[in-house]
């Protein structure tokens, strides 16, 4: 990922000792929360590499849980997130793994309740910036710095064209598009970074396209 300005390198306004281990961890947690869409009953967090070795000293555990609670990096409640989650009845499980990953600051977050579960793998690349490398088993490389459309659909001919047609009709410019699938002809996940906010009526229109199962809009801004 390229940095857009010197402020991306310095890092965000934040609570905590480290932009990589605290702010980045919080943002990964917050993406998981936004994908889940509501407060979970259980959060299983696995830290790898440097996260696994230093998460207590650098506050990666409290930061990740703060993100799961939908707290931003500068929210003063971040330092009390473990107690807040306990008070809300959220079961927090924190594990570490010696498994080698592509980046030393990696975490896997699984959120669940009685109806659904979401699993996210993210890396903190420095300066509070993150990349999500996996969403429910779909491989990606996303930063969520701009509004990002997530479209779950059947893997078949014409799906990308159908979504692109709706965006074109509403004059929404696409900055980046990635599509990931488990197997040919199964389900696929389309991620589209846009240059402007996508209104609810656009999401509804995309959702009405045949063979689309779910549409959501995510952003950390």
């Amino acid at each position: 990922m390229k940095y857009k300005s010197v402020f991306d390198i310095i890092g965000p306004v934040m609570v905590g000792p480290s932009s990589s281990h605290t702010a980045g961890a919080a943002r990964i947690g917050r993406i998981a929360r936004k994908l889940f869409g509501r407060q979970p009953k259980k959060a299983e967090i696995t830290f790898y590499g440097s996260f696994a070795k230093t998460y207590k000293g650098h506050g990666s555990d409290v930061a990740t849980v703060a993100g799961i609670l939908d707290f931003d990096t500068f929210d003063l409640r971040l330092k009390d997130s473990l107690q807040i989650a306990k008070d809300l009845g959220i079961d927090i499980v924190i594990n570490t793994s010696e498994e080698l990953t592509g980046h030393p600051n990696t975490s896997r977050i699984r959120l669940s309740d009685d109806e659904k579960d979401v699993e996210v793998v993210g890396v903190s690349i420095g300066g509070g910036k993150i990349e999500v490398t996996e969403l429910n088993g779909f491989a990606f490389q996303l930063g969520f710095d701009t509004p990002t459309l997530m479209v779950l659909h059947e893997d078949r001919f014409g799906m990308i064209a159908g979504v692109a047609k709706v965006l074109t009709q509403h004059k929404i410019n696409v900055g980046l598009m990635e599509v990931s699938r488990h197997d040919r002809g199964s389900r696929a996940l389309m991620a589209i970074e846009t240059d402007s906010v996508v209104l609810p009526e656009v999401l509804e229109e995309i959702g009405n396209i045949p063979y689309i199962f779910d549409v959501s809009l995510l952003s950390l801004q």
Side-chain angles (χ1 to χ4, degrees), residues 35 116-118 135-140 148-156 159-160 163 178-183 185-192 203 206-218:
L35 282 165
K116 66 184 290 189
D117 61 82
V118 166
L135 298 174
N136 288 338
F138 293 101
F140 280 105
T148 304
L149 269 173
M150 306 300 298
V151 183
L152 181 65
H153 60 92
E154 187 173 310
D155 180 36
R156 59 186 295 136
M159 300 307 300
I160 295 175
V163 173
E178 288 191 43
V179 180
S180 179
R181 64 185 181 183
H182 292 152
D183 297 293
S186 63
R187 291 193 172 193
L189 187 61
M190 194 184 310
I192 306 169
L203 298 180
I206 292 173
N208 288 332
I209 298 173
Y211 307 108
I212 284 183
F213 307 117
D214 187 61
V215 182
S216 58
L217 182 67
L218 299 177

Side-chain angles (χ1 to χ4, degrees), residues 51-72:
F51 269 178
K53 292 179 175 65
T54 66
Y55 75 90
K56 289 185 178 179
H58 284 171
S60 304
D61 51 351
V62 296
T64 300
V65 173
I68 292 169
L69 293 172
D70 206 21
F71 298 166
D72 210 331

